[in-house]
Amino acid sequence: MTQGAPTVDMGRSSVSDAMIEAYALNGFVKVPNLITVESASALRKAALGVATGTMPNGDEAYAERLTQQVNVWRSNAILKQITMSPGIAAIAEQLAGCELRVWHDHLLSKAPRNGFATEWHQDRPYWPFEGKPSTISVWIALQDTPADLGCMSFMPGSQRMDDLTAQSLADARSLFGVAPELEFESKVTVPLKAGEATFHNGRTAHMANANQLDAWRIAHVTIYMQNGVTFSGKPHGVTAEYSKTVSGLTQGDALDGAWFPRTAK
């Protein structure tokens, strides 16, 4: 850690049996007090220095909805603390029921009054994994995040639909085009206080409201994949960067090592 960087304090490193059961049933669960309010404030300050710059994604329809920076743990000592947190990884493993590795982290930030929702989608179809490994994302609010700042909503039980093709985050009808039965299913909106988080399955359909307020909405997200995941060969920015920086990946290669670490103890 960089000298003088604030230490991120955890609020908790385990969850109750009731939370584990809720996650298994619904595909998501809210976890209060994941990190302290003070830590959320320190992380937000660090994240603002990263998130308010230019959008590197290149997808204009996506970029107008949110700013995304991937693998911030590799360049920011403060944010690395939360991505590499053994306590958060331990909770993720409790919920997923298996050993996990970090797939990547990212900041997902909505500019003040950006006016665009991030539409209903599943994450898993974007990721280049062989088979059907467990995946789980931890979405931490770095400020109080009510609905009008851009909090998340989920479709309980939608994680059971494990064969859908990728959907467009910019098209409100995209998910329902590939799974029309989901359109009239229950939706649950989950506002969060600073330091609270949601953990959701990579197959759980979710969306984020538009930011209608005057402040940035910033969330830190760590995505975990089941230990032993192998590369499908499908193009993805994270594996492309790995191939360029570390070594070339081919289909069937394990996604492990220092770029995809196990962080739970």
Side-chain angles (χ1 to χ4, degrees), residues 82-140:
I82 205 70
T83 304
M84 297 292 114
S85 165
I88 293 176
I91 292 174
E93 291 192 350
Q94 277 187 278
L95 295 170
C98 62
E99 292 186 347
L100 300 168
R101 288 183 175 275
V102 173
W103 163 225
H104 67 77
D105 70 357
H106 51 177
L107 296 176
L108 296 180
S109 310
K110 287 182 177 281
R113 298 192 178 276
N114 78 323
F116 291 97
T118 308
E119 303 293 355
W120 289 106
H121 65 284
Q122 294 177 320
D123 293 328
R124 176 62 182 84
Y126 294 100
W127 298 334
F129 306 150
E130 291 188 314
K132 296 182 178 181
S134 292
T135 56
I136 184 169
S137 295
V138 186
W139 197 101
I140 306 173

Side-chain angles (χ1 to χ4, degrees), residues 99-103 223-225 227 255-257 260-262:
E99 292 186 347
L100 300 168
R101 288 183 175 275
V102 173
W103 163 225
I223 306 168
Y224 299 93
M225 58 187 174
N227 189 27
L255 298 178
D256 56 16
F260 307 109
R262 272 190 45 73

Side-chain angles (χ1 to χ4, degrees), residues 46 65 104 116 148 155 201:
R65 281 161 172 77
H104 67 77
F116 291 97
D148 52 4
M155 291 188 197
N201 187 299

Side-chain angles (χ1 to χ4, degrees), residues 53-73:
T54 58
M55 175 64 187
N57 185 279
D59 180 343
E60 291 185 4
Y62 185 91
E64 67 186 0
R65 281 161 172 77
L66 77 166
T67 300
Q68 179 193 43
Q69 283 82 22
V70 176
N71 275 340
V72 292
W73 71 271

Side-chain angles (χ1 to χ4, degrees), residues 23-39:
Y23 177 83
L25 176 65
N26 297 318
F28 71 95
V29 69
K30 175 180 174 178
V31 177
N33 305 314
L34 183 67
I35 61 174
T36 65
V37 173
E38 293 77 15
S39 290

Side-chain angles (χ1 to χ4, degrees), residues 9-251:
D9 293 321
M10 297 295 297
R12 64 192 307 155
S13 58
S14 65
V15 291
S16 66
D17 289 343
M19 287 183 180
I20 295 171
E21 292 169 7
Y23 177 83
L25 176 65
N26 297 318
F28 71 95
V29 69
K30 175 180 174 178
V31 177
N33 305 314
L34 183 67
I35 61 174
T36 65
V37 173
E38 293 77 15
S39 290
S41 179
L43 288 165
R44 178 177 170 78
K45 183 176 180 180
L48 277 169
V50 178
T52 58
T54 58
M55 175 64 187
N57 185 279
D59 180 343
E60 291 185 4
Y62 185 91
E64 67 186 0
R65 281 161 172 77
L66 77 166
T67 300
Q68 179 193 43
Q69 283 82 22
V70 176
N71 275 340
V72 292
W73 71 271
R74 299 189 61 81
S75 59
N76 188 290
I78 299 174
L79 297 169
K80 180 177 181 178
Q81 292 180 71
I82 205 70
T83 304
M84 297 292 114
S85 165
I88 293 176
I91 292 174
E93 291 192 350
Q94 277 187 278
L95 295 170
C98 62
E99 292 186 347
L100 300 168
R101 288 183 175 275
V102 173
W103 163 225
H104 67 77
D105 70 357
H106 51 177
L107 296 176
L108 296 180
S109 310
K110 287 182 177 281
R113 298 192 178 276
N114 78 323
F116 291 97
T118 308
E119 303 293 355
W120 289 106
H121 65 284
Q122 294 177 320
D123 293 328
R124 176 62 182 84
Y126 294 100
W127 298 334
F129 306 150
E130 291 188 314
K132 296 182 178 181
S134 292
T135 56
I136 184 169
S137 295
V138 186
W139 197 101
I140 306 173
L142 301 188
Q143 66 287 300
D144 290 350
T145 308
D148 52 4
L149 192 66
C151 73
M152 297 264 278
S153 297
F154 301 91
M155 291 188 197
S158 55
Q159 77 277 11
R160 297 180 183 88
M161 304 194 74
D162 64 358
D163 59 355
L164 300 184
T165 56
Q167 306 104 44
S168 170
L169 281 68
D171 181 355
R173 302 296 309 166
S174 181
L175 175 65
F176 306 127
V178 296
E181 61 270 42
L182 290 179
E183 183 165 5
F184 298 103
E185 290 298 314
S186 299
K187 284 85 171 172
V188 178
T189 298
V190 186
L192 298 174
K193 295 179 181 179
E196 294 186 330
T198 54
F199 288 66
H200 71 266
N201 187 299
R203 291 285 185 183
T204 302
H206 58 285
M207 61 90 68
N209 294 327
N211 181 1
Q212 303 174 46
L213 301 181
D214 292 327
W216 277 82
R217 186 226 72 183
I218 303 184
H220 178 280
V221 183
T222 302
I223 306 168
Y224 299 93
M225 58 187 174
Q226 188 170 349
N227 189 27
V229 163
T230 54
F231 179 50
S232 69
K234 179 181 176 180
H236 190 278
V238 170
T239 48
E241 183 67 17
Y242 179 92
S243 292
K244 183 170 66 175
T245 307
V246 182
S247 65
L249 283 170
T250 58
Q251 184 176 357

